[in-house]
Amino acid sequence: MLTGNEKASIVNKRSEKTDKVVSKCKEHVSKAISIGNEIVAAEAKGAIIQDVEGNTYIDFFGGVGVLNAGHRPEPVVNAVKAQLDKYIHTFFHQVMSEPYVDLAERITKIAPIEGPAKAAFFNSGAEAVENAVKVARSFTKKQGIIAFDGAFHGRTLLTMTLTSKVKPYRFNFGPYAPEIYRIAPAYCYRCAYNLEYPSCGMYCLEKFHKFFKSEVDPEHVAAMIIEPVQGEGGFVVPPKEFLPGLVDICKKNDILFIADEVQTGFCRTGKMFAVEHYGVKPDLLTFAKSVASGMPLSGLVGKAELMDNPGPGQLGGTYGGSPVSLAAGLATLDYIEEKKLSEAAQKIGAYSVKRMEAVQEKHPEIGDIRALGAMIGIELVKDRQTKEPNPEATSAIIKACAAKGLIIIAAGVYGNVIRMLAPLVITDEQLAQALDILEESFDEILK
């Protein structure tokens, strides 16, 4: 049994155990479900995954931001087991469950919402975003939604439309949802306006003057939605003026501000929610992923007057707010506080960035390193002057890492950003080994 203190150890060659699962997968699972690594999990604990061959890997992708509290935190496992012994499902709309009400109370107290707040629970991040848009349109009686280039908000029809990357998320899936308007974010390394921060004067904010003339009148816009730090878009961390500037634009034009914290929430960036770094309070905030340590759960929290605007039955769903997932969510919040994961994220981020900056000095292909807490992106280019994306090297490094016992994934519109999403319970020894493997892989591929 794994203790969670193990390190990466690749000791076995691939056998028929893995081959059998891979073969069955190819025969029975849709090819549209992409597979990054032909690794079959047998057990996981903390920041370690063990496969059916006995190999152990350091998890540097955390189920794509789901496992801030690590694999199988004991209090969460115990809470799930205890709830299973009581009841699994009731359908909250007809028979209430205490975990739903208790977690709503906890979330409304910790979310950075101004004034009285209320919450609702769903199954996935996409559902939370869909319902945020529904609430915004219901309250404002307007239809337009402003999203940003590079955004990722989900894979349903509406959230796919809000998402910016065409392949694989939108390709051949049109027609798309109407009344979605897109503008460039503050991606300073690849400024859409070819300017330099801070001498740019935050032109990306000034651009809204023209945007409201040429693209959509603000009187038609219900809400603006943004990830405080773009996830799939390449871990783009905006400058300190950007989010407050957006909030100011929204307030001046009676537009609601929605923070999509599905990937950034629950201490990933060094605070419970990433918007707290920028001193802004959204009208609505979506969350999912690390709220319940791997159990399917998402939610929407916002100003009470907004959340109460839709009529009874207009929000919800059969499985929305599963009692088992909610029990996991309550235990996860306790665990986050007990383990001081916000502080852990800050330490992980500081150490990792320092290590990677030393690697950057050796390899000009590392164009940019971006981080907010333990949400870290390393952008690879073919030339630092032209900034031509280098997805080939990115893929090769990720493959080399896996062969050495580190599972890490890519991001970015061009697929050229290595993103680090290590569980925040990773040990110092595991973190050091992971970064050793990453550096060795950079040296091997970028020699």
Side-chain angles (χ1 to χ4, degrees), residues 185-188 227-231 233-238 278 370 375 379:
Y187 187 174
C188 295
E227 304 157 274
V229 177
Q230 284 193 345
F235 280 29
V236 179
V237 182
Y278 296 89
R370 302 183 286 270
M375 192 168 185
E379 181 156 358

Side-chain angles (χ1 to χ4, degrees), residues 139-411:
F139 183 81
T140 64
K141 305 299 186 288
K142 299 188 286 185
Q143 292 76 46
I145 305 294
I146 297 173
F148 289 83
D149 292 338
F152 181 88
H153 296 291
R155 298 171 185 255
T156 61
L157 176 61
L158 174 59
T159 58
M160 168 185 74
T161 306
L162 291 168
T163 292
S164 177
K165 192 172 182 177
V166 176
K167 289 185 177 181
Y169 305 118
R170 299 172 59 185
F171 187 66
N172 282 339
F173 289 150
Y176 307 116
E179 301 300 338
I180 305 299
Y181 302 89
R182 201 178 308 282
I183 192 170
Y187 187 174
C188 295
Y189 182 69
R190 294 188 181 277
C191 177
Y193 310 110
N194 295 314
L195 299 173
E196 295 285 338
Y197 176 82
S199 61
C200 61
M202 294 305 295
Y203 181 74
C204 50
L205 294 175
E206 295 297 322
K207 182 69 175 178
F208 276 91
H209 294 301
K210 182 178 180 181
F211 181 79
F212 286 144
K213 297 291 185 183
S214 63
E215 297 296 329
V216 60
D217 193 290
E219 291 185 11
H220 183 66
V221 178
M224 175 189 297
I225 184 167
I226 189 170
E227 304 157 274
V229 177
Q230 284 193 345
E232 295 286 331
F235 280 29
V236 179
V237 182
K240 63 182 185 299
E241 301 93 340
F242 189 59
L243 293 185
L246 294 179
V247 170
D248 187 54
I249 289 169
C250 287
K251 287 181 177 179
K252 288 179 179 178
N253 292 282
D254 294 321
I255 296 171
L256 297 180
F257 183 76
I258 304 172
D260 183 347
E261 294 259 10
V262 167
Q263 189 164 165
T264 53
F266 301 97
C267 304
R268 171 53 53 186
T269 66
K271 292 187 180 292
M272 185 62 75
F273 295 103
V275 288
E276 296 177 66
H277 289 281
Y278 296 89
V280 301
K281 294 185 176 183
D283 298 298
L284 297 164
L285 183 149
T286 64
F287 58 91
K289 290 191 182 284
S290 279
V291 64
S293 298
M295 295 297 291
L297 181 65
S298 71
L300 172 65
V301 61
K303 292 181 177 180
E305 62 176 333
L306 305 181
M307 295 295 293
D308 283 343
N309 187 262
Q314 288 198 283
L315 302 183
T318 301
Y319 295 105
S322 158
V324 181
S325 294
L326 292 161
L330 287 164
T332 297
L333 286 182
D334 289 339
Y335 193 73
I336 283 173
E337 294 174 2
E338 176 193 344
K339 295 297 183 179
K340 299 180 180 179
L341 294 190
S342 285
E343 295 178 17
Q346 295 169 21
K347 293 177 181 178
I348 291 168
Y351 176 73
S352 299
V353 169
K354 184 177 180 180
R355 286 284 307 270
M356 288 299 101
E357 285 177 342
V359 178
Q360 184 180 29
E361 292 181 4
K362 295 190 292 180
H363 299 294
E365 293 91 345
I366 299 178
D368 193 30
I369 298 173
R370 302 183 286 270
L372 192 61
M375 192 168 185
I376 307 161
I378 304 170
E379 181 156 358
L380 298 182
V381 295
K382 296 180 179 178
D383 183 275
R384 283 190 185 176
Q385 296 302 314
T386 65
K387 299 182 182 179
E388 181 183 353
N390 197 339
E392 298 84 5
T394 304
S395 296
I397 289 167
I398 289 171
K399 184 176 180 180
C401 284
K404 295 177 175 65
L406 176 67
I407 305 177
I408 196 167
I409 58 176

